[in-house]
Amino acid sequence: MTSQPQQARARFHWLGINALLTLAVVLSAVAVVGTSHKCRQSYARLQKLQSAQWDMQENWSRLLLQESALATHYRVEQAAEQRLQMRIPTAADIRLLLR
Amino acid sequence: MATIIALLFMLLLWRVVSLQVLDTDRGYEFLQGQGEARFVRTAVIPAYRGVISDRRGETLAVSTPVISLTANPQVLASSGQTARLARALKMKPAVLERRLERYQGRQFMYLKRHMAPADARAVLQLQFPGVRGEQEYQRYYPAGEIAAHLVGFTNVDDRGIEGLELAYDDWLRGSPGRKQVIKDLYGEVVRDIGELEPARSGKDLSLSIDLRLQYLAHRELQRAIALTGAESGSVVTIDIRTGEVLAMVNHPVYNPNNRKNLKPGQTRNRALVDNFEPGSTMKPLAVLAALESGLFTPQTLIDTSPGRIKVGRKVLLDPVNYGEIDLSKVVAKSSQVGIVKMTLQLDEQAVWQMFKQFGLGQSPGTGFPGEAAGLLPYRAKWLPIERVTLAYGYGLTATPLQLALAYSVLADRGLRHPASLLRLDADEVLTEQVVDPRLARQVLQMLEGATADTGTARRARVAGFRVAGKTGTAHKANHGGYADDRYLALFAGIAPVSNPRLVTVVLINEPQRNRYHGGEVAAPVFSRITAGALRLLNIAPDRRADAGAA
């Protein structure tokens, strides 16, 4: 047999737990909304960075193309010999310093 | 009445709860799955293929971003804008119409693959219905034809199909990622919703070649081919201390960036794949077998008069009667008679055994697709003619790389290293002592004699350096015999003699215009390549510089 005040306390107890759980559910629901929002934001950022990476790669390969066209060994050789009048030193031009 | 409505309402509520909340057979999960199956798709994220570079980090193969234009033929065909699209794509409208007809029952077709991103974007900006751009990678080869045979190429789907692109495909290839996207009624991507698996890039590959040497060898080979009107040719340069291939070029070449006019045979890396009979270039190894037997020294005299010798039913000739000469002179003059007389005094298996120790008839083990191992036939019993033929380099085949490797054993004090097409770290070099270093040195000195004023290889000399080498002029075999008018001009050489670093093999196949001797056709190519290579690698001239000054 339980007394009247005891019953009241038990009821209050349950009420407290319920209120706590409800609060937890609400909080978690808000957190879920927040997290999925953050997730979406991060993914958007990732996509932006990926497209930036793509653009940079694009740019890089264009520059590489330019470089390989302008700096071919053949072209450099022609420029050195004809425009800059350079030549490969002969054996007679080389002084060997021996230590 | 009110009761019935209340009851129906309760039933409705129950149905809603069972669909939305409870885990029934055709409930919440089933419905969501069916919904997603109608608009969520998994799309592939292309992976970046690894970069191939030379030993100094110069790019040889790189993946560049491109855009492939795709279309939904059903949407496009009904839009009535095909003529305008064809104009934008610089295609003939009739061609596009025909292609649309061919794909009329489908939801997907490629309009144009691998477009430059700027061009593709110009088309996409016009917003044709059903036309979309797909990001892909295309392989680009900055060095072009210079390294084409070694590097190889990939197909339109970014898979290696030739050369090292094929051999190391698994290493270079990344693993594509997956992402989820939402598509609308027309199959167009509306929105990305998330990445299931990120794309992983492939790994990079560092080759053993030095692009500067590669260009040099390429230029000189092309020059020699143009001068001699030869059919094809190869040059291989290896670093004798490590077995790394520093340059490997062939003729004919092709442009890996534009393969529209590719002819069969053009893509073949002859230096690794084609076998030939090495001829006189094998004589130094036979001489080494003689030195190892203890019966001969470099000073042993051999009487070669009257300049011909009969073995079995065959008469073998020297161009002139050299008289009594020592073994060094036999090598320097490449005397057939001297080699024959020497070989007949040796053990039956001695020459074969020596060739085998130098790696002939065995795969060099570079892993290159189609790499040839040459042929060094074993016989339990040798006829005299078979023994001498082998000693002067017929009756066996080798690739230019194998010949270069054999010479590197002579150059590096009898040490043999496996060939490598990849850059090696110092601790990755494998070494095996195959002959006595003293004997290897003796043969090297004999080979230096061949580049002296009276030797067959004098055109191989390099100003400021001492070089050693051997010429070869092999008759080409054709149906059932040797052709009289088809030759291989060969040169295998080592530089500098005082402290050997490089071995270069030059092979010119079927030179024309009556100049076909190895000493005349191939040796000058060796000289020009070696002079440049020694300078580029900053190798100090020999102290006895006067010995090589031409």
Side-chain angles (χ1 to χ4, degrees):
Chain A
M1 268 250 167
T2 45
S3 65
Q4 203 73 5
Q6 261 178 334
Q7 270 185 355
R9 211 180 307 141
R11 199 177 302 134
F12 184 72
H13 214 85
W14 278 114
L15 220 68
I17 289 173
N18 274 340
L20 262 174
L21 286 176
T22 311
L23 195 70
V25 166
V26 169
L27 281 180
S28 122
V30 170
V32 165
V33 171
T35 311
S36 56
H37 177 66
K38 224 182 266 169
C39 173
R40 227 166 286 150
Q41 261 181 339
S42 300
Y43 189 65
R45 209 169 100 82
L46 176 70
Q47 279 190 308
K48 214 152 124 200
L49 290 174
Q50 273 172 346
S51 84
Q53 183 196 21
W54 181 270
D55 287 345
M56 280 187 239
Q57 260 178 5
E58 223 178 273
N59 222 350
W60 180 62
S61 53
R62 213 192 51 238
L63 293 171
L64 193 74
L65 205 87
Q66 256 171 36
E67 190 207 357
S68 71
L70 295 176
T72 51
H73 289 263
Y74 177 75
R75 194 169 174 275
V76 172
E77 216 169 59
Q78 295 290 310
E81 279 171 7
Q82 285 164 14
R83 199 150 49 79
L84 303 171
Q85 306 289 317
M86 293 166 94
R87 63 184 175 81
I88 292 164
T90 61
D93 297 329
I94 299 172
R95 294 282 172 277
L96 196 57
L97 302 178
L98 296 172
R99 267 187 292 181
Chain B
M1 192 64 199
T3 339
I4 293 169
I5 289 174
L7 255 168
L8 284 173
F9 188 71
M10 288 288 280
L11 208 66
L12 193 67
L13 207 67
W14 168 248
R15 182 68 184 144
V16 166
V17 168
S18 83
L19 285 180
Q20 295 277 348
V21 182
L22 299 178
D23 188 18
T24 51
D25 186 23
R26 300 212 146 203
Y28 164 73
E29 275 183 31
F30 170 79
L31 290 173
Q32 195 162 44
Q34 287 293 314
E36 282 184 358
R38 274 159 185 75
F39 62 84
V40 175
R41 289 285 180 276
T42 308
V44 174
I45 315 171
Y48 187 70
R49 193 174 167 89
V51 172
I52 301 180
S53 58
D54 82 339
R55 64 185 302 113
R56 298 165 65 243
E58 297 263 3
T59 10
L60 299 176
V62 61
S63 286
T64 57
V66 287
I67 295 179
S68 288
L69 289 185
T70 68
N72 182 338
Q74 294 177 346
V75 176
L76 185 60
S78 59
S79 71
Q81 298 208 33
T82 44
R84 201 164 72 96
L85 176 62
R87 239 187 346 267
L89 287 169
K90 298 184 179 72
M91 275 168 117
K92 284 206 183 80
V95 175
L96 184 61
E97 290 284 0
R98 226 172 307 135
R99 289 189 54 196
L100 278 173
E101 234 164 78
R102 184 143 48 96
Y103 289 98
Q104 67 187 178
R106 315 273 178 82
Q107 297 260 353
F108 177 89
M109 67 180 273
Y110 279 114
L111 282 173
K112 203 168 188 182
R113 281 194 89 171
H114 295 180
M115 291 177 75
D119 299 346
R121 228 166 274 140
V123 176
L124 287 171
Q125 237 146 41
L126 300 173
Q127 296 195 335
F128 294 99
V131 175
R132 288 183 294 125
E134 208 170 85
Q135 298 186 333
E136 282 187 305
Y137 287 109
Q138 186 188 23
R139 219 49 174 161
Y140 170 65
Y141 302 96
E145 61 181 23
I146 293 168
H149 288 118
L150 203 56
V151 174
F153 50 83
T154 57
N155 65 7
V156 73
D157 292 317
D158 222 19
R159 300 286 299 257
I161 51 169
E162 270 288 347
L164 292 171
E165 288 268 37
L166 170 60
Y168 290 93
D169 193 41
D170 286 339
W171 173 272
L172 291 164
R173 205 172 65 223
S175 63
R178 291 182 302 134
K179 63 179 177 185
Q180 281 192 316
V181 295
I182 293 181
K183 287 194 175 181
D184 69 5
L185 180 62
Y186 305 106
E188 309 227 9
V189 176
V190 183
R191 191 157 74 86
D192 286 10
I193 44 178
E195 212 171 54
L196 293 174
E197 202 183 318
R200 259 178 306 138
S201 301
K203 290 181 275 290
D204 294 348
L205 196 64
S206 235
L207 303 193
S208 63
I209 59 167
D210 184 325
L211 196 55
R212 301 171 303 174
L213 265 58
Q214 186 81 8
Y215 170 70
L216 181 69
H218 170 79
R219 187 187 69 193
E220 293 306 330
L221 178 65
Q222 293 303 323
R223 210 180 92 99
I225 298 276
L227 277 174
T228 60
E231 185 137 301
S232 63
S234 298
V235 173
V236 181
T237 298
I238 60 177
D239 183 337
I240 62 155
R241 294 173 176 182
T242 59
E244 289 168 284
V245 174
L246 295 179
M248 180 179 273
V249 296
N250 303 283
H251 176 87
V253 286
Y254 67 98
N255 180 0
N257 295 314
N258 181 7
R259 304 197 295 271
K260 279 205 187 85
N261 306 316
L262 205 60
K263 290 182 207 72
Q266 255 179 335
T267 62
R268 204 158 79 233
N269 190 352
R270 292 158 194 272
L272 267 171
V273 168
D274 279 12
N275 289 315
F276 63 95
E277 281 182 299
S280 300
T281 52
M282 285 291 109
K283 284 176 185 168
L285 304 192
V287 167
L288 188 59
L291 295 174
E292 201 176 51
S293 72
L295 299 171
F296 290 85
T297 70
Q299 288 75 40
T300 306
L301 290 172
I302 298 172
D303 187 7
T304 66
S305 53
R308 76 172 87 99
I309 187 168
K310 198 168 179 215
V311 183
R313 280 178 306 163
K314 203 166 162 58
V315 179
L316 300 163
L317 299 167
D318 275 343
V320 291
N321 180 3
Y322 295 121
E324 196 176 36
I325 52 176
D326 65 16
L327 202 52
S328 298
K329 203 79 180 278
V330 168
V331 174
K333 290 285 182 195
S334 198
S335 163
Q336 203 89 315
V337 177
I339 291 288
V340 168
K341 284 198 161 177
M342 176 198 83
T343 308
L344 291 174
Q345 288 183 49
L346 302 177
D347 181 69
E348 279 198 329
Q349 301 286 358
V351 171
W352 184 88
Q353 190 63 43
M354 185 55 74
F355 285 6
K356 187 165 179 288
Q357 277 173 24
F358 273 68
L360 297 163
Q362 297 153 49
S363 165
T366 57
F368 193 86
E371 176 187 58
L375 202 67
L376 180 64
Y378 174 79
R379 296 172 212 274
K381 200 95 187 90
W382 293 81
L383 292 174
I385 185 69
E386 290 168 345
R387 286 162 59 193
V388 302
T389 322
L390 192 69
Y392 58 72
Y394 286 85
L396 80 155
T397 61
T399 63
L401 177 66
Q402 282 181 309
L403 185 59
L405 285 171
Y407 270 67
S408 80
V409 179
L410 287 177
D412 197 17
R413 299 153 293 161
L415 298 176
R416 183 174 148 193
H417 313 287
S420 175
L421 298 176
L422 304 184
R423 194 179 69 187
L424 299 177
D425 290 327
D427 57 340
E428 289 173 315
V429 177
L430 302 172
T431 305
E432 185 193 353
Q433 185 85 47
V434 293
V435 283
D436 185 340
R438 204 171 42 85
L439 301 181
R441 190 76 208 166
Q442 284 177 356
V443 175
L444 183 62
Q445 268 155 10
M446 290 184 192
L447 287 175
E448 191 182 1
T451 63
D453 287 336
T454 53
T456 50
R458 57 191 172 277
R459 286 199 180 83
R461 279 183 291 186
V462 176
F465 292 90
R466 293 165 58 198
V467 298
K470 183 78 193 74
T471 60
T473 312
H475 285 270
K476 284 190 71 176
N478 61 3
H479 322 290
Y482 287 95
D484 282 333
D485 54 348
R486 292 166 69 214
Y487 301 91
L488 275 180
L490 273 168
F491 190 82
I494 299 161
V497 172
S498 52
N499 181 19
R501 289 288 303 277
L502 302 174
V503 163
T504 299
V505 166
V506 178
L507 180 151
I508 309 283
N509 182 20
E510 293 195 26
Q512 305 294 316
R513 302 179 193 142
N514 288 325
R515 286 177 54 205
Y516 53 82
H517 280 286
E520 220 175 347
V521 175
V525 183
F526 166 86
S527 168
R528 298 172 69 100
I529 292 173
T530 304
L534 291 169
R535 184 173 50 79
L536 286 170
L537 296 177
N538 217 5
I539 295 171
D542 279 301
R543 288 188 201 202
R544 258 184 52 208
D546 53 309

